[in-house]
Amino acid sequence: YDSGPPLTAHHVLDSFLRALGVPAEQIPPEADAKAGLYRSVLAGRRMLVVLDNAATPDQVRPLLPSEPGCMVVVTSRSRLSGLVARDGAHRISLDVLAPDEAYALLREVIGRTRADYEPQATAELARSCAHLPLALRIAAERIASRPHLSVADLVQELAGEHDRLDMLAADDDETTAVRTVFSWSYHALPDQAARLFRLLGLQPGPSISLPGAAALTGTTTASTQRLLATLTGVHLLTETGCDRYQFHDLLRDYAVERSADEPVHRREDATRRLFQWYLHTAHAALFAFYPQHPEIPIHPRPPDCHPLTFIDNDHARTWFTAEHANLMAIIRRAPTVGQHTVGWQLPNAVDCYLADHHHVADQIAVHRLGLAAAQHLGHQLGQRWAHGHLGEALWGERRYDEAIVHHQQALTIGRSIGNRFGEASALGDLGHVYNLLGRYREAADHSRQALDIVREIGHQRNQAVNLTNLGNALRGMGHLDQALTHLQQGLNIFIAIGATGGQAWPLRCIAKVYHQQGHSDHAVDCLRQAAALHLQYAGPGTYSYAMTLGDLGTVLNDIGRPREARDAWNEALSILNDLDPHQADQIREHLNALGPTENNSSE
């Protein structure tokens, strides 16, 4: 029930499973399998699941636990009779406020003296608002802002607005009352505030920041902030955080309707400004989040676009997190408003964040949309990037055969347009997938081809990536000395270009080679370095950090240092208990095999 399509159960299950501690790589791709895993994770738990603003019973059913200790609360503006008939739901219909409750609310807002001086007019105002809390609050604020007029005069004015809205269904008193109050308050706005209200209806996401609203208006943040304050002051908009705003969903629908009053060319200009602002801000955030990321194609920044800048990784991460839902909504909306270039370029800018936070379903969805946008434009380079990123996203759901198809398509396009970087990227991605499948000879062959190209074009970061891929393939083939040489070369490049997060990957791989060679003390040193890098880059509590600690515990235990192994495994267990119950059980088995200890509180 908002201006965009409702979330599917497929997407909700993906989010719920991550919230319940299931690692992204253990979440199955099929919706039915996700629902089964969701119910098994909830087995034996007492959990309250809240499904707010549901649209249909089919949207809800896959999200219903089978565990009797769990309860589900579903809110909706529909009756959802199917859930009652088929699923045993108990319907609780929420009525409007009682007349005395509605009167008390008005009395609190417009002032007790004023309300009690005109009790009949105040009661009539409550009836005109159909005793609905949102309508009452907005009407009361409107009246409170005009103390020089009587309540009766303002009720008469509201009645006139009701008569003007003759397009409303006469038998829908609640809808008529709400929209009448909206219209009454909207028409009372100053011109510029009313224009902002209309333009906010063009924002496809659930919220908007002050800089985003300024992009819509094409004015300064200072003037936009004053207009936003006007809207929040009359309850047509809510400030949900520092410089972040959100409509009530009914008001969002109304703003979408009012946006049609804006001249077409102004709507198009505002939409272009907003979409360009998101594109260029996300581009800036990407390179603060991961400075060594390969440059991505991007439309030149228009003169009237003023994107945000970012000081470091944490700043960019915070912005991506706050804007996640809006970025997804912008990408979904892009093809319907003719913003096809943003439609294929913005997914590339958000991919690194989505991958880092294991938002696999969103990754796949946005890159499918990006591919469609590039195909609509006939943009070959855009299609190459979309196929490559879509293939990488499919790794997260272990759909390796599909990933190979997309990487091969990216390779074909890259070669056909003479894009050497794209050709090398596709070869390197294929090398990585073949490693995951244990097809080490193919992995080594593709990694070598990719490495030759990136050396030729001088792309250091991807040299490090392909050296690591090649090292892993050689390790899988049993060529440990050659593997170590290539892995060390990859690590050296990551160090030279300052890629803190990238260094941990070859270090973990080098540790495995050392351990296989019998140089386990060196393996311990490498794993401790990798753990420290994870802490420096992403902080404690991450999955990669915990898995590195798990590897460290294994090596320490193998070389007869059980006390240190216990410490590493205990720390890993404290993280994996929430992130990955299966891996946590394996760590717990290792700890149990060590036997009890007085200081081991985890056992």
Side-chain angles (χ1 to χ4, degrees):
Y1 282 114
D2 63 15
S3 55
L7 286 176
T8 65
H10 178 79
H11 280 83
V12 175
L13 283 167
D14 193 73
S15 297
F16 276 12
L17 287 168
R18 287 199 307 270
L20 289 165
V22 179
E25 59 268 24
Q26 294 185 13
I27 297 176
E30 300 83 10
D32 289 345
K34 284 183 181 181
L37 178 58
Y38 166 68
R39 293 187 177 106
S40 68
V41 170
L42 291 180
R45 298 194 187 191
R46 290 173 55 80
M47 185 79 67
L48 173 64
V49 180
V50 180
L51 306 175
D52 185 45
N53 217 10
T56 65
D58 288 340
Q59 187 189 25
V60 170
R61 285 195 179 100
L63 307 173
L64 300 177
S66 56
E67 172 60 44
C70 294
M71 176 177 284
V72 181
V73 175
V74 183
T75 71
S76 179
R77 298 214 300 274
S78 297
R79 293 176 62 81
L80 301 181
S81 298
L83 291 181
V84 177
R86 287 180 48 187
D87 303 282
H90 300 278
R91 182 186 293 120
I92 302 174
S93 298
L94 294 182
D95 204 349
V96 298
L97 295 179
D100 58 337
E101 294 170 329
Y103 187 96
L105 174 58
L106 292 173
R107 190 169 180 259
E108 187 67 29
V109 177
I110 68 177
R112 298 179 183 183
T113 300
R114 193 176 179 194
D116 291 345
Y117 184 74
E118 297 182 82
Q120 290 184 338
T122 302
E124 178 59 28
L125 175 62
R127 286 192 293 273
S128 297
C129 294
H131 300 155
L132 290 164
L134 178 64
L136 288 163
R137 171 65 68 177
I138 293 173
E141 291 289 349
R142 173 100 172 88
I143 289 174
S145 67
R146 303 171 75 185
H148 56 287
L149 295 178
S150 70
V151 175
D153 289 339
L154 293 168
V155 169
Q156 186 175 2
E157 184 181 306
L158 177 60
E161 185 68 26
H162 183 287
D163 294 338
R164 193 184 70 80
L165 296 176
D166 56 4
M167 77 290 292
L168 295 172
D171 60 349
D172 191 353
D173 291 339
E174 292 187 2
T175 300
T176 301
V178 170
R179 295 183 65 185
T180 297
V181 172
F182 290 172
S183 181
W184 182 52
S185 298
Y186 165 76
H187 285 295
L189 290 170
D191 288 345
Q192 290 303 308
R195 174 176 177 265
L196 175 58
F197 184 85
R198 294 192 297 272
L199 293 181
L200 289 172
L202 302 175
Q203 159 69 325
S207 67
I208 196 164
S209 65
L210 171 58
L216 264 177
T217 62
T219 59
T220 65
T221 55
S223 61
T224 304
Q225 190 169 39
R226 288 192 292 270
L227 298 176
L228 289 165
T230 299
L231 296 179
T232 59
V234 295
H235 286 272
L236 291 178
L237 191 67
T238 301
E239 187 170 9
T240 59
C242 181
D243 291 338
R244 182 160 293 276
Y245 302 85
Q246 185 169 324
F247 279 126
H248 184 285
D249 60 343
L250 295 175
L251 278 163
R252 182 186 296 115
D253 292 343
Y254 184 70
V256 171
E257 293 177 11
R258 301 305 327 191
S259 68
D261 297 340
E262 194 75 2
V264 173
H265 71 281
R266 291 182 180 174
R267 287 204 310 271
E268 291 176 347
D269 285 347
T271 298
R272 175 192 57 79
R273 287 193 301 268
L274 180 69
F275 279 55
Q276 287 291 325
W277 180 84
Y278 270 109
L279 173 62
H280 287 278
T281 299
H283 182 265
L286 167 63
F287 287 95
F289 185 75
Y290 186 19
Q292 296 79 24
H293 193 281
E295 186 54 65
I296 60 175
I298 185 170
H299 192 274
R301 180 167 63 87
D304 59 352
C305 180
H306 305 288
L308 300 178
T309 57
F310 300 90
I311 58 175
D312 57 20
N313 175 289
D314 289 340
H315 188 193
R317 189 187 302 270
T318 299
W319 183 82
F320 274 127
T321 300
E323 295 288 350
H324 182 169
N326 289 332
L327 289 163
M328 300 302 102
I330 288 284
I331 294 168
R332 288 195 300 268
R333 179 65 60 83
T336 68
V337 292
Q339 292 292 318
H340 299 288
T341 298
V342 174
W344 74 260
Q345 292 182 353
L346 185 55
N348 298 325
V350 303
D351 176 79
C352 191
Y353 167 79
L354 294 176
D356 193 67
H357 289 73
H358 302 295
H359 295 299
V360 179
D362 283 342
Q363 264 188 292
I364 293 172
V366 300
H367 291 310
R368 290 199 190 283
L369 289 168
L371 178 58
Q375 289 172 335
H376 175 85
L377 295 172
H379 200 294
Q380 291 284 86
L381 180 61
Q383 293 176 53
R384 205 291 302 164
W385 276 89
H387 278 301
H389 274 146
L390 183 53
E392 292 172 2
L394 290 165
W395 302 348
E397 290 193 344
R398 301 184 300 282
R399 293 156 66 177
Y400 300 128
D401 289 342
E402 292 178 66
I404 288 171
V405 170
H406 284 286
H407 291 316
Q408 288 173 337
Q409 290 175 315
L411 178 60
T412 299
I413 294 172
R415 285 173 171 167
S416 70
I417 63 176
N419 180 225
R420 295 287 279 165
F421 173 83
E423 180 183 355
S425 294
L427 287 165
D429 286 336
L430 285 166
H432 186 78
V433 178
Y434 291 139
N435 265 332
L436 293 173
L437 291 170
R439 294 161 60 175
Y440 297 118
R441 292 191 181 279
E442 292 168 279
D445 177 58
H446 285 78
S447 298
R448 285 193 180 98
Q449 292 182 60
L451 187 57
D452 287 342
I453 297 174
V454 293
R455 280 174 169 162
E456 173 191 325
I457 64 178
H459 200 287
Q460 288 188 296
R461 181 261 190 184
N462 280 14
Q463 287 182 48
V465 168
N466 285 293
L467 283 164
T468 305
N469 272 333
L470 179 55
N472 274 328
L474 291 167
R475 182 177 66 85
M477 295 162 63
H479 305 313
L480 299 185
D481 289 338
Q482 293 180 50
L484 189 59
T485 298
H486 288 86
L487 292 168
Q488 187 63 56
Q489 289 174 352
L491 173 61
N492 291 342
I493 294 175
F494 276 127
I495 293 171
I497 64 176
T500 303
Q503 295 169 38
W505 176 33
L507 277 169
R508 284 187 66 190
C509 300
I510 288 170
K512 291 178 181 178
V513 175
Y514 278 148
H515 195 43
Q516 286 178 253
Q517 290 179 325
H519 305 310
S520 299
D521 287 341
H522 294 324
V524 169
D525 291 339
C526 288
L527 290 168
R528 291 197 189 280
Q529 290 179 55
L533 288 165
H534 283 306
L535 284 176
Q536 180 182 343
Y537 178 71
T542 63
Y543 183 77
S544 296
Y545 175 63
M547 294 302 292
T548 302
L549 291 175
D551 289 349
L552 177 60
T554 298
V555 175
L556 289 167
N557 188 55
D558 287 348
I559 61 176
R561 295 160 65 176
R563 185 181 297 276
E564 294 170 86
R566 189 188 302 278
D567 291 341
W569 280 334
N570 273 326
E571 188 175 357
L573 181 61
S574 68
I575 300 168
L576 293 172
N577 273 328
D578 294 327
L579 296 181
D580 189 341
H582 175 72
Q583 291 290 346
D585 286 343
Q586 291 188 340
I587 297 293
R588 197 172 286 108
E589 288 179 9
H590 294 326
L591 286 166
N592 290 337
L594 289 178
T597 177
E598 294 179 1
N599 296 324
N600 187 12
S601 59
S602 298
E603 296 180 15

